[in-house]
Amino acid sequence: MATAVSSRFEVIDLAPKIGSAIRCDKQTLLGGERAQDIREIMERRGVIVFPEIGLTDEEQIAFTHTLGTFAHEEGERSEGKPGDTVYPITMDSSINPNADYLKGAFYWHLDGTMSDKPILASIMSARALAPTGGETDFCNTYAAFDDLPEEEKRAIEPLQVVHAMWRSQLYWKPEPSFAELNAWIGRGTNTLPLVWKHRSGRKSLVLGATALQVEGMGIAESERLLVKLRDWATQPQFSYRHTWKIGDMVLWDNTGTMHRALPYDHRSGRLMHRTKLEGEEAFA
Ligand SMILES: [Fe+2]
């Protein structure tokens, strides 16, 4: 009884090594019939843009469920909030009391380096924009690893890196109070491989603002290597910059990319609604 429905599903690559735009209708996304294709494109291209798709919060939550396991925000359950919700990304602390914490997002990072199994993906919709700035940059850490010289790949593959949340907080607040610093340091550290060998066989770089020190290296040598690799991975050939329009939705593979927001006026009211997919694979 099923008939083949040829709904529109057009995939356009945005840059040679990262980013695709998918033009399709809402029903195609919400019905889930393209979920496997979307996951495959996400893993291969890192970032998928759904230009001006204009999903409501409920639709974004439903779409997230078609792709995997919906991930709840930390503490959401203990606050007793019922059901699945979108998370507001804003610098307006009347909307998000943890707005300060989000300031680490202005520097290259991937989410979840303080846990052993980071989220698989984030999905973000633009609800309000700043008049200027506020673009989101992405880079493909699979492609960046693949294109390293073979000798360098071999040299960095065995290395482990200590990550700490406080390192990323010092980017935006270089002189915290002792109490603040202690609270950040209380979040602990996490040691991760510099090169993530995924179960698919592909390898990606694990870098970002939480990367504190390469194990077994002095401070200067470690910093030189981390900055050199960040510089390499964020080159134009591995990167895509998304300039938002209201209603755009962007989905990215958090396990094979890094991202950052570009500066904007924190009083502008810029507001993004984010949902996430639970991680499916540990770093090591
Ligand atoms: Fe992030």
Side-chain angles (χ1 to χ4, degrees), residues 129-147:
L129 300 176
T132 57
E135 299 90 342
T136 305
D137 275 346
F138 299 94
C139 73
N140 188 331
T141 52
Y142 281 120
F145 177 80
D146 288 343
D147 286 3

Side-chain angles (χ1 to χ4, degrees), residues 9-111:
F9 191 82
E10 197 185 342
V11 185
I12 303 141
D13 289 349
L14 298 169
K17 293 187 176 184
I18 183 170
S20 294
I22 296 181
R23 292 189 182 276
C24 64
D25 51 73
K26 275 188 182 191
Q27 287 321 311
T28 304
L29 293 188
L30 298 176
E33 66 261 29
R34 292 291 197 156
Q36 278 315 312
D37 296 324
I38 292 169
R39 281 191 57 134
E40 183 274 320
I41 296 165
M42 176 180 81
E43 206 242 323
R44 190 162 45 79
R45 304 287 304 160
V47 178
I48 303 179
V49 178
F50 298 92
E52 296 176 275
I53 185 81
L55 296 194
T56 64
D57 289 348
E58 292 67 30
E59 287 168 342
Q60 183 174 334
I61 290 165
F63 170 60
T64 306
H65 276 284
T66 68
L67 298 175
T69 307
F70 190 95
H72 292 270
E73 295 296 329
E74 224 174 294
E76 205 173 71
R77 286 304 195 192
S78 57
E79 287 163 22
K81 286 184 187 165
D84 301 332
T85 52
V86 296
Y87 182 77
I89 305 280
T90 174
M91 288 298 146
D92 183 342
S93 56
S94 70
I95 297 174
N96 186 338
N98 295 317
D100 262 359
Y101 175 74
L102 299 173
K103 289 177 183 166
F106 291 100
Y107 306 93
W108 286 107
H109 68 285
L110 59 119
D111 297 333

